[in-house]
Amino acid sequence: MAADNREFNHLWDLSREIANLRSVNMLLQWDQETHMPPNGAKARAGQLELIAQLIHQRRTGKDFEKALAAVIDLDTGKLRVEGCSAAQKAAVREWRRDFSLATQLPIDFVRRWSNLTSEAAEVWRNARERSSFLTFAPYLERIVALCQEKAELLGYKAHPYDPLVDEYEPDMTYAQLTKLFGDLRKPLVALRNKLLTRKQPDCSFLQQRYGSAKQMTFAKHLLGHVGWTQENGAVDLTTHPFCLSLHPTDGRVTTRVNERDPLENFLASLHEGGHYLYEVNLSEKTWGSPLSEPVSMAVHESQSRWWETIVGQSHPFWKHAFPELKALFPKQLEGVGLSRFVKAVNALRLTPIRIETDEVSYCLHVILRFEIESALVDGSLKVRDLPTVWNEKMKELLGIEPENDARGCLQDIHWAWGHVGYFPTYALGNLYAAQFFDTFAKAHPDWEERIGKGEFEFMRDWLQHNIHQHGRRYRPGELMQHVTGKQPSPDCYLKYLTLKYS
Amino acid sequence: MAADNREFNHLWDLSREIANLRSVNMLLQWDQETHMPPNGAKARAGQLELIAQLIHQRRTGKDFEKALAAVIDLDTGKLRVEGCSAAQKAAVREWRRDFSLATQLPIDFVRRWSNLTSEAAEVWRNARERSSFLTFAPYLERIVALCQEKAELLGYKAHPYDPLVDEYEPDMTYAQLTKLFGDLRKPLVALRNKLLTRKQPDCSFLQQRYGSAKQMTFAKHLLGHVGWTQENGAVDLTTHPFCLSLHPTDGRVTTRVNERDPLENFLASLHEGGHYLYEVNLSEKTWGSPLSEPVSMAVHESQSRWWETIVGQSHPFWKHAFPELKALFPKQLEGVGLSRFVKAVNALRLTPIRIETDEVSYCLHVILRFEIESALVDGSLKVRDLPTVWNEKMKELLGIEPENDARGCLQDIHWAWGHVGYFPTYALGNLYAAQFFDTFAKAHPDWEERIGKGEFEFMRDWLQHNIHQHGRRYRPGELMQHVTGKQPSPDCYLKYLTLKYS
């Protein structure tokens, strides 16, 4: 971005202040999950609330509105200043989107939303523990009603689900998702059923004790392949792994360790490493503007799934990494060959739990949630019927019946948080990853050989050059078109899975 | 505090918001020294600057002024509302003090101060590394000039040093310090010289390898005695140990490990533990008001020195702790008895470096700095003469000549930070600790026996009841009077040292 435009730079200054507050918010959240003493939780809530309030004030305040209106017509989106570069135009477009989203919800609504969802999260924890859907149901009813109200406030043309998903995945719609997931549904179920008729790989060697210190040593190796460095990153242990970033120079990965299942650690580390790489590859130069922000949740997820599944569950990857792992755990892996190990990594996991499942089943778990939450929002499904419908769909899509609601419709916290419209991005992430990878593999037909030799830099460079460096310069659909020459489709993903599991 | 006063509570709400921002500031600082990746430093500076600015705006803003003026006459200090409890009156008094201190310095001055000191800290690091006083001198000259300007802005009656020290130690003056340190100087030098003629204890057993993991295990035991808990505290490793607190429920201790000198770790842990105990014992109920803030730097230091020296270098303490230490390091401590160990802990340390010195020499290092910095401020000493005067005084007070300025007048960062008036609180901390302890020992004449048995709770309770729980309810001098029945004096300290080393 050129710095010759006074109005533009003033807007950027205000935006940079918001970005700094968001970094602070990230640190508060990271610390809460890693190093904060347990009794600090109540005070932390107060700190988080204050910072959230300061961010909201700045995003919706008169200062920001005035600065934005000096650059762009808020109603029509027509630029008011001349000589903006294409990048600057994109930044202004995204600033306008953020301002519009932040101001369309009145403060009274925001408060009701925040009160209900924090209460609901507590109720959900309790309800899940006792597997009592009836405890959570009245809260879910109120959340659905608030989501419907939110959809009305944000406005939509075709379906009330549209503005909800758009918040996480710009421009994505109910109609598009219905088409994408519709095309995915049948072939995935068919592939999965076919695989289930085969002999399942022997994973018994994984069910031994793998010491946590050595797992973490190996996790750092894996993270190093993805691009994690001590200079730009921290790594800590948590129950629910995540990645947060304060700045392209300061990304925080967390992972988990289960001494009885080392794959949990390796795959979680690769997954969060993928998120990390996206964040640290965002542009330092444009920091504080949308050009240095991740473009969407699905593209973010595509980066984590790229490393966790397409690369991290591939034969070439373990060709390089397995000897190292074997050196760390010679006893546990005695007599286990590379092929047997890779088969175990890719074994189907027959579980009703989304986050424990395998690559082939994953999107089916997501499609189930999409079908249910969109029906709740448009009123075609009532909350009271949720458990029944959940279990029916689970049977239909995955052939599994959850033992109880705790392991069924109560397993995810998302709805309690009000995150309706978020789930599809998990499946889209897989689709996008495969579509990006298809383009990557055409540019680098020797990728398997190089990864097998432990070369990773060319892959990281490709991701940075084609995806990360752009930030929000392109909308997600534009980015897909720009990089892959196609709009999002399930083709590459299905091709990838079919080829891999044939 | 009763909650029946609307004006009072409004003021408290504003103050609580400032306190929350200060907690955030603490977390940013703690993280910077513990887990932040190195490359995150530049972005961190921006985050810290923003939070500092938000704090300053709130402390000096119209909202706060109006709320404060509704409760108290800003000029005369006369209360405007009725029915305030004594505690509330004290809180209002301290709010007025803070507001007055924050508003007496114009924003232009604050900016110049902040720019100069951050630059000077960098220059100082460089100058110390090359032991080049001439590099640092021009910056120190500008810092002295700014301190003089600050003294004029804050106003004073007797000596320009008064308002500078008052910032860290309310009501303390140049005249009082001259008297206190004057009374301390001669007897301390005499005691130290006498001790130097004796045979020095054999500390050779300390000069072996003491593994850092085991040192940290032991450090956690020590911290436990002082009152540290996992529920209310974190502990991490740093080069320069410190303790920061976000809230009485969330204190962060850091300590250091030198595998070739385990005492560094043990004494630093006890020292920071003492600071921690003060912070976590502050009142949760009055949090966000001055009643839940530490009263002064010297009282804070008295709490760290209490545990590090009076308790932590005492025979009874090690009677309890030494067997545990010996169990962890049986080889290194083979044949070392309790008495020999305690003697080694209390050995004189002939070093020109303040932070490496022993209990007897410590205050002399501080007196030297006080005499120099007060003379710089009143103009009777020129910066260019500093190295000569430093070395002369070092010779006079400690009989030591530093090898170079890096280990002489360039050893501390305080002046580069503009912390002129801070050093005296280190010596006052020792005086206060001894004076508090004298009162404590009268109330608990069996303390040696109980500590020897590993009972610590009665000691922590005494500190909480007599000192910690009050926060800033009393001014430091009032607190001393209240607890010990006397104004600060060197008597107890000299008595304590003489008795211990006779």
Side-chain angles (χ1 to χ4, degrees), chain A residues 16-18 20-21 23-24 27-28 30-31 35-44 46-47 50-51 53-54 57-58 229-234 236 246-247 249-252 284 287, chain B residues 16-18 20-21 23-24 27-28 30-31 35-44 46-47 50-51 53-54 57-58 229-234 236 246-247 249-252 284 287:
Chain A
R16 205 181 285 112
E17 188 172 314
I18 297 170
N20 264 318
L21 286 169
S23 302
V24 167
L27 182 66
L28 288 165
W30 170 83
D31 179 70
H35 298 279
M36 187 187 78
N39 288 352
K42 206 177 142 199
R44 180 55 46 91
Q47 296 148 15
L50 173 60
I51 298 297
Q53 195 185 314
L54 293 175
Q57 282 167 1
R58 276 158 184 74
T229 66
Q230 197 132 34
E231 283 67 39
N232 285 326
D236 287 84
L246 281 70
H247 187 266
T249 56
D250 186 351
R252 313 281 173 114
E284 272 191 70
W287 192 79
Chain B
R16 205 180 286 111
E17 187 172 316
I18 297 170
N20 264 319
L21 286 169
S23 301
V24 167
L27 182 65
L28 288 164
W30 170 83
D31 179 71
H35 299 278
M36 186 186 80
N39 288 352
K42 207 179 141 196
R44 180 55 45 90
Q47 296 147 15
L50 173 61
I51 298 297
Q53 196 185 312
L54 293 174
Q57 282 167 1
R58 276 157 183 74
T229 66
Q230 198 132 35
E231 283 66 39
N232 286 324
D236 287 84
L246 281 69
H247 188 266
T249 56
D250 185 351
R252 313 282 172 112
E284 273 191 69
W287 193 79

Side-chain angles (χ1 to χ4, degrees), chain B residues 221-235:
Chain B
H221 279 298
L222 295 180
L223 282 165
H225 299 333
V226 185
W228 183 90
T229 66
Q230 198 132 35
E231 283 66 39
N232 286 324
V235 58

Side-chain angles (χ1 to χ4, degrees), chain B residues 297-299 301-303 305 424-434:
Chain B
M297 288 298 119
V299 174
E301 189 71 7
S302 78
Q303 299 308 293
R305 298 294 279 181
T425 68
Y426 290 133
L428 291 173
N430 287 294
L431 269 49
Y432 292 7

Side-chain angles (χ1 to χ4, degrees), chain B residues 60-74:
Chain B
T60 58
K62 287 281 157 224
D63 281 357
F64 194 85
E65 181 170 6
K66 226 177 106 186
L68 185 62
V71 178
I72 190 170
D73 187 306
L74 293 181

Side-chain angles (χ1 to χ4, degrees), chain A residues 374-394:
Chain A
S374 58
L376 286 171
V377 168
D378 70 22
S380 58
L381 173 66
K382 297 292 165 213
V383 165
R384 64 170 174 274
D385 300 324
L386 174 54
T388 315
V389 175
W390 182 286
N391 294 347
E392 281 169 11
K393 281 188 187 283
M394 189 59 103

